Amino acid sequence: MASLSDIAVSAAINCLSAVLFLVAFAILRLQPINDRVYFPKWYLKGIRDSPTSSGTYVKKFVNLDVKMYLKFLNWMPAALRMPEPELIEHAGLDSAVYVRIYLLGLKIFCPITLLAFGVLVPVNYTGENFEEMRVNRRDLTYNDIDKLSISNVAPGSRRLYAHIVMAYVFTLWTCYALYNEYRIVTKMRLHFLAAERRRPDQFTVLVRNVPPDDDESISEHVEHFFCVNHPDHYLSHQVVYNANALADMVIMKKTLQNWLTYYTNKFERNPNKRPTTKTGFLGLWGKHVDAIDFYTQQIEALSKEEEAERERVLNDANAIVPAAFVSFKSRWGAAVCAQTQQSNNPTIWLTDWAPEPRDVYWDNLRIPYVELKLRRLLMSVALFGLTFCFMVPIAFVQTLANIESIQKYLPFMKPLIEIESVKAIIQGYLPGIILKIFLILLPTIIMTMSKIEGFTALSALETRSAGKYYLFLLVNVFLGSIITGTALQQLQGLLNQSPTMIPQTVGVSIPMKATFFITYVMVDGWSGIAAEILRLVPLVVFHLKNTFLVKTEKDREQAMDPGSLTWAISEPRIQLYFLLGLVYSTVTPILLPFIVVFFAFSFLVFRHQIINVYDQKYESGATFWPDVHRRIIIGLILSQFLFLGLLNTKKAYNATYFLIPLPILTFWFFRVCKGRFESQFKKFPLEDAMKKDTLEKATEPNLNIKTYLQDAYVHPVFKGAIEFERPRVIDEEENNPLVLTKRSFHRHHHGKQKQEEEEEDTSEDRMETSSSKGGSTSKAGPTVITAQDKL
């Protein structure tokens, strides 16, 4: 176990790394050549000009203003200066609420840290349990950090009641902060929705599992169904094409165009020599050919294939999937459709709010609805296997990352390990950095699993991936790290124990792993966040593109990579820090200051990134907040059960009865918040929809909503390419409630022919009857069949 000096060495290394990253960022952001890397959001909004467009040649690349370097830390107060309403207007509600997660961490853990250091640290430090144990066990080793934890309190001591009381205090304060924040975010969401500009998804519903019909195409069937069941509100619809192959061609064509631009620029710099390439994969092997001619021919051939594929998709009935985006004349009509069951068969005509157009994940719209359940079952099994398979290498590496194991398995390194500075680095820095390396590829694997599950929105993919990643961090990084022993012993111990013994087994190991989590917080939460603001990878990529691919200002704008909030990665990581803070608040409070520094530093960095850098791919209106609230509650309840198991090892059997109501009350609090707030994030109130519709009609009486929604949900590969048949729009002037479809047309036509035959027979019968009576010589007029007679 790392000592206080080892932790100090680790803190020095990580602080130095963070300072170096921040200094490098402060210098690089001032250089005109890097302006598009560190301020891309302002360029995308069109309110910032490139400093390289004016001045001398040197000033286009290097900032020579010495005064600017003296103020290199002015980005910090600038990040805090923008008020929250302006931040919402500038970056969106999702970004503003995301930053509030870090603020919530500060609200929870700053008071808890003060209380823990004022009450629990003195109680633990004066416990003298280690001094008493050392009398009987002379080989017992401990350090200053151990003396600050609950391990220094003797079993059965009355001092444990202080920890129990603080557990109640910490829980009450956490619940109070959570309730307040839930209420604030709910008000922010409602205000945002009320003041939000008109968007296509406010009028549109995604319909899936459209049943087949023998007489009608999918488009006609959708039109018929909604004209009959929503006659006053249905406006139009857009069928969904399976254009994934076409989308792949578009991506490939863009790649070829980038290569053509690269070789064209290369030739312009050196006109005396034509560039060449090889015809094999990535130009690594094959016949040498002229690069410009080769890629020009490739693009022309691919363009013909693309055109043919586009024609096939538009003309092939099998390319239309049983899904459609259905638009309504009002938000009220869309809300009614999206939030109600459309058929007496609950497995067909499934409706939900359509994602906003930039949030649609088009690749998954082709997946039949019947496959979704099977896909998600298979991915759940795969996640279970991934979680427990990953535990083996992580636990094995952590086992090696300590002095005893290295001396056992690598005895030749013993002389090097015995050096104090090397020993401090191994125990105070190495475990955290190894764990960080092992987690690099995991988010990509988890996102791929979520895509296989078939979610149709990017926001849903990130939300689902965040849930998987959180489960992985909970099981592997937290539970897998605090259980002692080797990797195989960890798995075997958990599988052979009864479920009731797991909290006790884990609880007794929690104090022993406090130093490991301290090092992990410093590596991931201090150095990692500082590396985030440096943006080293986007910096290198931008300059490579700017050198080899950029010919125009539009190319330069496309070369920018502003990035976005990686919700699927960052939110579970935040939840891990919430979990660590809640678990160790009553066990080893020395961890809490490191957690507070993480939340404060992250709040500052991500507020700066949201203002100047990130460009969100979508806007969900903070629909993710119930997930944030639920995971914090899970961490709180888990911390209570682990603390209960730890007290059982402390022989505080009578005291543990006082803790039993705590998780029950916490779960009751969760249910109260769920009933009070969660519906505001899942449904759109009809009252609010009607208010917005009424206000819009009063302020924009001439608004043509049909034109506004016409191309909103057209597949991106069709936009701007060619004109294709648009769905018929039901005009407001059409007041006839009868809907003519192919099926009804056939019936109507057949019925009309039969009726005419019957009328002819009736007319002949009347003429025969009249002539048989011999009588009448008067001229009878033609028989008139009115609409009423036809009916």
Side-chain angles (χ1 to χ4, degrees):
M1 188 175 183
S3 64
L4 194 59
S5 60
D6 298 334
I7 297 298
V9 171
S10 178
I13 294 174
N14 286 283
C15 286
L16 181 61
S17 302
V19 169
L20 290 176
F21 286 144
L22 292 177
V23 171
F25 160 72
I27 295 174
L28 290 173
R29 67 186 285 270
L30 296 177
Q31 310 311 314
I33 196 173
N34 299 328
D35 204 59
R36 290 181 180 270
V37 178
Y38 294 107
F39 301 96
K41 194 178 190 73
W42 300 102
Y43 282 94
L44 294 176
K45 287 181 172 288
I47 54 180
R48 188 180 180 96
D49 294 325
S50 175
T52 61
S53 59
S54 61
T56 62
Y57 181 79
V58 176
K59 289 184 177 180
K60 289 182 178 181
F61 298 96
V62 181
N63 190 339
L64 301 178
D65 189 352
V66 179
K67 294 181 180 179
M68 295 287 290
Y69 292 96
L70 297 178
K71 301 177 181 179
F72 69 96
L73 293 178
N74 63 351
W75 66 270
M76 294 184 178
L80 302 174
R81 195 174 297 127
M82 182 178 287
E84 192 167 65
E86 186 178 341
L87 180 64
I88 295 174
E89 178 69 22
H90 174 71
L93 185 65
D94 283 347
S95 299
V97 172
Y98 173 82
V99 173
R100 290 194 68 91
I101 303 177
Y102 296 106
L103 186 61
L104 175 62
L106 290 175
K107 290 179 180 179
I108 290 176
F109 289 111
C110 283
I112 287 179
T113 302
L114 294 177
L115 279 174
F117 271 75
V119 177
L120 295 183
V121 170
V123 170
N124 293 338
Y125 188 77
T126 57
E128 298 183 354
N129 182 44
F130 287 117
E131 297 294 334
E132 296 174 2
M133 294 173 62
R134 196 169 186 179
V135 175
N136 301 323
R137 294 179 55 186
R138 296 185 180 276
D139 59 339
L140 178 67
T141 58
Y142 59 91
N143 53 48
D144 293 334
I145 294 180
D146 295 327
K147 294 177 67 175
L148 299 176
S149 72
I150 197 173
S151 301
N152 199 33
V153 178
S157 172
R158 293 182 177 272
R159 292 172 177 264
L160 295 174
Y161 282 101
H163 298 79
I164 295 174
V165 171
M166 286 296 104
Y168 270 93
V169 172
F170 295 163
T171 298
L172 291 175
W173 173 252
T174 302
C175 291
Y176 172 77
L178 284 173
Y179 185 87
N180 255 359
E181 198 65 24
Y182 215 149
R183 180 174 54 83
I184 292 172
V185 173
T186 302
K187 287 183 178 179
M188 291 172 63
R189 171 176 166 80
L190 293 177
H191 183 269
F192 176 79
L193 294 178
E196 189 179 23
R197 299 186 184 94
R198 182 172 54 254
R199 294 193 325 189
D201 54 295
Q202 297 170 354
F203 300 87
T204 308
V205 170
L206 175 60
V207 183
R208 304 192 71 180
N209 214 30
V210 177
D213 190 277
D214 295 334
D215 297 321
E216 295 177 326
S217 67
I218 290 177
S219 179
E220 294 165 340
H221 199 189
V222 170
E223 180 182 341
H224 174 211
F225 181 86
F226 284 95
C227 281
V228 170
N229 295 285
H230 298 269
D232 298 327
H233 301 282
Y234 168 70
L235 180 65
S236 65
H237 71 277
Q238 174 63 59
V239 294
V240 178
Y241 294 91
N242 182 5
N244 290 353
L246 181 59
D248 293 338
M249 291 181 181
V250 172
I251 295 173
M252 176 60 69
K253 184 177 178 180
K254 186 176 180 180
T255 302
L256 294 175
Q257 287 172 338
N258 286 337
W259 280 110
L260 179 60
T261 302
Y262 165 72
Y263 283 112
T264 303
N265 290 346
K266 186 176 181 181
F267 178 65
E268 289 176 354
R269 294 189 186 97
N270 186 11
N272 298 323
K273 182 179 180 181
R274 296 277 293 185
T276 60
T277 186
K278 295 180 180 180
T279 57
F281 177 71
L282 293 178
L284 297 178
W285 59 76
K287 181 181 177 182
H288 276 279
V289 293
D290 184 283
I292 296 178
D293 294 340
F294 174 73
Y295 283 107
T296 300
Q297 294 170 3
Q298 291 281 94
I299 292 173
E300 290 176 354
L302 187 59
S303 297
K304 294 178 181 179
E305 294 180 17
E306 180 186 339
E307 187 69 22
E309 177 66 16
R310 183 179 285 108
E311 288 293 333
R312 184 197 69 79
V313 170
L314 292 175
N315 298 320
D316 185 5
N318 294 325
I320 300 178
V321 302
F325 292 99
V326 180
S327 298
F328 293 81
K329 299 175 184 177
S330 64
R331 297 172 181 84
W332 191 92
V336 170
C337 181
Q339 298 169 177
T340 55
Q341 182 174 314
Q342 303 302 308
S343 172
N344 53 15
N345 183 349
T347 63
I348 61 174
W349 296 108
L350 303 175
T351 58
D352 199 0
W353 283 107
E356 64 168 317
R358 58 179 178 164
D359 189 21
V360 178
Y361 187 67
W362 295 95
D363 291 354
N364 282 350
L365 287 173
R366 66 175 179 81
I367 300 175
Y369 183 78
V370 293
E371 288 186 15
L372 295 180
K373 297 293 183 182
L374 178 60
R375 284 169 172 260
R376 290 170 189 177
L377 176 62
L378 293 177
M379 288 302 100
S380 297
V381 175
L383 178 64
F384 179 84
L386 176 69
T387 301
F388 285 94
C389 288
F390 238 86
M391 183 182 290
V392 176
I394 287 179
F396 180 72
V397 171
Q398 289 189 62
T399 301
L400 290 180
N402 62 72
I403 299 301
E404 293 78 11
S405 297
I406 293 176
Q407 289 177 344
K408 180 179 179 181
Y409 295 105
L410 302 172
F412 62 89
M413 295 187 63
K414 186 175 181 180
L416 179 64
I417 294 173
E418 290 179 349
I419 301 175
E420 287 298 324
S421 58
V422 176
K423 179 180 178 182
I425 292 174
I426 291 175
Q427 289 192 323
Y429 186 73
L430 188 61
I433 196 67
I434 290 177
L435 182 58
K436 181 72 174 175
I437 293 172
F438 260 88
L439 296 177
I440 289 177
L441 296 178
L442 185 65
T444 303
I445 298 173
I446 289 178
M447 178 58 75
T448 303
M449 295 171 65
S450 297
K451 290 179 179 178
I452 294 174
E453 287 182 310
F455 292 97
T456 57
L458 296 174
S459 55
L461 287 174
E462 293 206 334
T463 300
R464 186 72 173 179
S465 299
K468 293 185 181 72
Y469 194 35
Y470 173 73
L471 176 63
F472 184 91
L473 293 179
L474 176 63
V475 174
N476 281 281
V477 177
F478 181 69
L479 294 178
S481 297
I482 63 179
I483 301 173
T484 57
T486 64
L488 295 178
Q489 289 173 343
Q490 291 183 27
L491 287 176
Q492 184 178 4
L494 279 178
L495 294 176
N496 292 337
Q497 284 183 345
S498 65
T500 56
M501 293 297 294
I502 292 178
Q504 187 170 337
T505 303
V506 177
V508 74
S509 303
I510 288 175
M512 301 169 60
K513 290 295 181 178
T515 53
F516 166 75
F517 286 119
I518 290 174
T519 61
Y520 178 77
V521 169
M522 288 188 290
V523 171
D524 181 70
W526 294 9
S527 300
I529 298 301
E532 172 69 25
I533 200 172
L534 181 59
R535 306 196 75 226
L536 187 59
V537 173
L539 178 68
V540 174
V541 171
F542 171 77
H543 286 301
L544 288 175
K545 289 182 177 179
N546 193 36
T547 303
F548 298 111
L549 301 179
V550 169
K551 296 185 69 175
T552 64
E553 283 299 317
K554 185 177 180 180
D555 295 335
R556 187 169 286 106
E557 182 176 326
Q558 292 176 349
M560 291 190 306
D561 180 20
S564 60
L565 292 171
T566 51
W567 177 257
I569 303 173
S570 56
E571 194 270 343
R573 182 173 66 176
I574 302 171
Q575 293 295 342
L576 177 63
Y577 291 112
F578 274 107
L579 176 63
L580 292 176
L582 293 171
V583 168
Y584 279 96
S585 59
T586 53
V587 177
T588 310
I590 192 65
L591 182 69
L592 292 176
F594 298 90
I595 299 288
V596 170
V597 170
F598 162 76
F599 280 115
F601 189 36
S602 299
F603 176 77
L604 179 67
V605 167
F606 280 102
R607 212 171 195 274
H608 171 274
Q609 298 294 85
I610 285 170
I611 293 172
N612 298 295
V613 181
Y614 296 147
D615 182 48
Q616 280 301 97
K617 298 177 182 178
Y618 57 84
E619 176 59 57
S620 70
T623 54
F624 54 79
W625 190 260
D627 294 329
V628 174
H629 178 85
R630 183 178 66 254
R631 287 172 190 146
I632 296 176
I633 291 293
I634 290 174
L636 183 59
I637 293 177
L638 182 61
S639 69
Q640 294 162 356
F641 276 110
L642 295 179
F643 185 55
L644 190 62
L646 178 59
L647 287 183
N648 281 330
T649 65
K650 289 293 206 176
K651 299 180 181 179
Y653 305 115
N654 295 329
T656 55
Y657 291 114
F658 291 101
L659 277 178
I660 293 177
L662 201 53
I664 299 174
L665 292 174
T666 304
F667 183 74
W668 172 81
F669 166 77
F670 167 72
R671 297 295 299 178
V672 169
C673 291
K674 182 180 177 68
R676 173 65 179 84
F677 300 114
E678 188 168 324
S679 62
Q680 305 287 348
F681 293 83
K682 303 296 183 184
K683 299 178 180 179
F684 187 36
L686 295 181
E687 179 185 12
D688 294 346
M690 182 60 73
K691 286 180 181 178
K692 288 198 68 117
D693 289 334
T694 305
L695 180 63
E696 188 172 72
K697 289 179 181 178
T699 56
E700 300 179 71
N702 299 322
L703 173 66
N704 189 340
I705 195 66
K706 294 180 293 187
T707 304
Y708 175 72
L709 295 174
Q710 191 173 29
D711 295 330
Y713 286 96
V714 174
H715 197 292
V717 297
F718 296 123
K719 287 186 176 180
I722 61 172
E723 289 294 325
F724 62 98
E725 183 182 357
R726 301 189 185 281
R728 189 172 74 90
V729 178
I730 304 300
D731 293 328
E732 296 180 7
E733 292 80 8
E734 296 180 10
N735 295 320
N736 187 357
L738 299 178
V739 181
L740 186 63
T741 63
K742 281 188 175 181
R743 178 170 55 241
S744 61
F745 174 77
H746 292 324
R747 291 174 181 172
H748 175 70
H749 184 66
H750 177 71
K752 186 175 181 180
Q753 287 181 337
K754 186 176 181 181
Q755 190 177 34
E756 289 176 351
E757 293 174 358
E758 291 175 351
E759 290 170 359
E760 291 176 359
D761 294 340
T762 303
S763 177
E764 292 175 357
D765 292 342
R766 287 177 179 174
M767 292 177 65
E768 291 175 358
T769 303
S770 176
S771 61
S772 65
K773 288 182 179 180
S776 187
T777 59
S778 62
K779 293 182 179 179
T783 305
V784 178
I785 308 296
T786 64
Q788 186 175 0
D789 295 330
K790 289 183 178 181
L791 293 175

